[in-house]
């Protein structure tokens, strides 16, 4: 029964299934505000984001995760292969598949476990991770770059042939512009062509594997936001629906953010002209495509307009958490630092409950409740915070009423 309350057990949300999932979400949402303000009832997190590796073959100008593991630069041509990463104690200390199995088995109350990185396809046995989640009843997938499309195609091809097909397998392909703009932001020449190659391959696979869902994931930066309308139109003309093209503010993770002028994560509230230009662009996209006139995109607008104020109360550390490749646990990815470190799962047999019964988590939850954390608006964490509030859920239901009468579509 995994992922039922949040994602309809990984099935397509339309018709009666959309109503059924919505009703269950609403039923369970009321307990989170009570827990947040009173500490009762005691609730363990339901949603996990797990980074399986810090290895990455992109060279993004807003992130330096790709510098955390050394590569043999002489062996590296256009991008590093797995074998190009230098075998160091740090690399060897990344999580193993056996540890991952323990984590899944020891925390059966989790409803959704999403894998990320780094670049997941560089993890040698990543297929095993997804197959084990599928076996245990979870949906599978996560984000990917396509710097090395052959590698991603090989991994996804093997995986698709072995998945049960009972749950959605969703891949979000990172594309941050058209042509040279994408290559500039991602730091690898030919990256945009690699994305198109993978997307074309994925479309063919969807004919064979109807549970395979592919979307395009786009980061808004000061460099590319003016081109976003053209970007969406380009992919809509290729046959993608607007709701298959997701976007978000580029926000630096405290652990990975580059501090360079070209990597400004947020359009500063001091840049009034640029900010107004961006808000006008967002209003135009919401007017042109009904799919973008929703709760999340309105949240993006509010985030940019009032950057020192949280868009909604955050429930990171309450109903969701993030674990890095070394099993350090944090409330969320934007706060991967010692101040917000909850603990390490290797130290207590990969069981979450002791961490959520500690004084440490209470202090972290209080800081988040009082907004003593980075202001952010990410799809993964904002979604979980939205699902922790009945009033916000009702607004989301209103935005998505069209799903009830629509043809089935992947979530």
């Amino acid at each position: 029964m995994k992922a039922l309350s949040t994602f309809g057990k990984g099935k397509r949300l339309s018709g009666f299934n959309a109503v059924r999932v919505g009703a269950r979400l609403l039923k369970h949402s009321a307990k989170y505000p009570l827990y947040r303000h009173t500490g009762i009832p005691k609730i363990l997190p339901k949603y996990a984001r797990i980074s399986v590796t810090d290895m990455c073959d992109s060279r993004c100008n807003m992130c330096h995760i790709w510098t955390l593991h050394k590569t043999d630069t002489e062996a590296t041509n256009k991008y590093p292969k797995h074998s190009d990463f230098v075998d160091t104690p740090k690399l060897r200390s990344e999580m193993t598949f056996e540890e991952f199995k323990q984590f899944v088995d020891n925390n059966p109350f989790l409803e959704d476990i999403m894998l990320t990185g780094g670049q997941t396809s560089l993890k040698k046995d990543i297929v095993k991770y997804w197959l084990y989640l599928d076996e245990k009843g979870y949906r599978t997938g996560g984000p990917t770059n396509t710097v090395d499309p052959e590698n991603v195609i090989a991994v996804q091809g093997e995986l698709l042939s072995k998945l049960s097909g009972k749950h959605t397998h969703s891949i979000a392909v990172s594309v941050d512009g058209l042509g040279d703009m994408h290559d500039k932001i991602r730091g690898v020449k030919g990256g945009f062509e690699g994305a198109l190659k993978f997307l074309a391959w994925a479309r063919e696979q969807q004919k064979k594997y109807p549970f395979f869902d592919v979307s395009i994931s786009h980061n808004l930066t000061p460099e590319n936001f003016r081109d976003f309308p053209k970007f969406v139109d380009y992919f809509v003309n290729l046959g993608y629906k607007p709701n298959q093209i997701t976007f978000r503010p580029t926000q630096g993770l405290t652990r990975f953010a580059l501090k360079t002028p070209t990597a400004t994560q947020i359009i500063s509230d001091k840049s009034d002209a640029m900010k107004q230009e961006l808000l006008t662009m967002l209003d135009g996209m919401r007017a042109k495509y009904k799919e973008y006139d929703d709760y999340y995109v309105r949240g993006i607008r509010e985030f940019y307009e009032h950057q020192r104020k949280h868009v909604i109360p955050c429930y990171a550390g309450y109903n969701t958490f993030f674990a890095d490749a070394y099993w350090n646990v944090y409330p969320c990815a934007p706060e991967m630092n010692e101040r917000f470190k909850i603990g390490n799962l290797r130290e207590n047999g990969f069981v979450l409950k002791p961490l959520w019964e500690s004084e440490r988590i209470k202090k972290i939850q209080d800081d988040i409740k009082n907004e003593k954390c980075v202001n952010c608006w990410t799809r993964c964490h904002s979604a979980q915070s939205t699902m922790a509030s009945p009033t916000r859920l009702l607004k989301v239901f209103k935005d998505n009423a069209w799903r009830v009468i629509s043809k089935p579509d992947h979530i």
Side-chain angles (χ1 to χ4, degrees), residues 204-215:
E204 290 301 311
Q205 301 309 302
Q206 287 179 299
K207 298 174 183 177
K208 185 177 180 181
Y209 304 106
F211 59 88
F212 184 29
D213 179 34
V214 179
S215 62

Side-chain angles (χ1 to χ4, degrees), residues 253-269:
L253 309 184
T254 53
R255 184 177 166 202
F256 302 139
L258 285 176
K259 307 298 184 184
T260 61
T262 58
T264 305
Q265 284 79 43
I266 302 170
I267 294 176
S268 171
D269 53 7

Side-chain angles (χ1 to χ4, degrees), residues 90-137:
K90 184 176 179 65
L91 182 57
R92 290 195 297 273
S93 68
E94 287 194 344
M95 69 175 61
T96 68
F97 175 60
E98 290 304 317
E99 290 177 332
F100 180 74
K101 284 178 63 178
Q102 276 187 266
F103 165 76
V104 174
D105 294 343
N106 291 348
N107 302 283
F109 51 84
L110 290 172
E111 296 182 358
D112 192 52
I113 302 174
M114 183 57 63
L115 304 187
T116 185
Q119 173 59 16
T120 53
S121 63
L122 290 173
K123 190 77 171 177
K124 275 187 175 180
D125 50 359
I126 186 60
V127 170
K128 291 182 180 180
Y129 288 68
W130 276 319
L131 288 177
Y132 196 67
L133 288 177
D134 182 59
E135 177 186 329
K136 292 294 182 176

Side-chain angles (χ1 to χ4, degrees), residues 279-327:
L279 295 177
T280 300
M281 182 275 290
L282 288 175
D283 290 341
M285 296 303 292
R286 290 170 56 202
K288 184 172 184 178
Y289 295 111
K290 69 171 186 178
E291 294 89 343
Y292 290 151
D293 188 25
D294 67 2
Y295 192 69
Y296 179 72
V297 177
R298 290 196 293 273
I300 294 178
R301 193 188 194 287
E302 186 173 342
F303 171 79
Y304 278 121
E305 192 167 18
H306 307 290
Q307 291 172 18
R308 301 188 186 281
K309 178 184 175 182
H310 287 212
V311 177
I312 61 175
C314 182
Y315 280 80
Y318 290 90
N319 65 350
T320 183
F321 70 93
F322 181 93
D324 68 16
Y326 317 97
W327 292 111

Side-chain angles (χ1 to χ4, degrees), residues 106 120 153 174 182 261 316 320 362 374 391:
N106 291 348
T120 53
I153 287 171
S174 298
H182 171 81
T320 183
K362 293 176 184 176
V374 64
T391 55

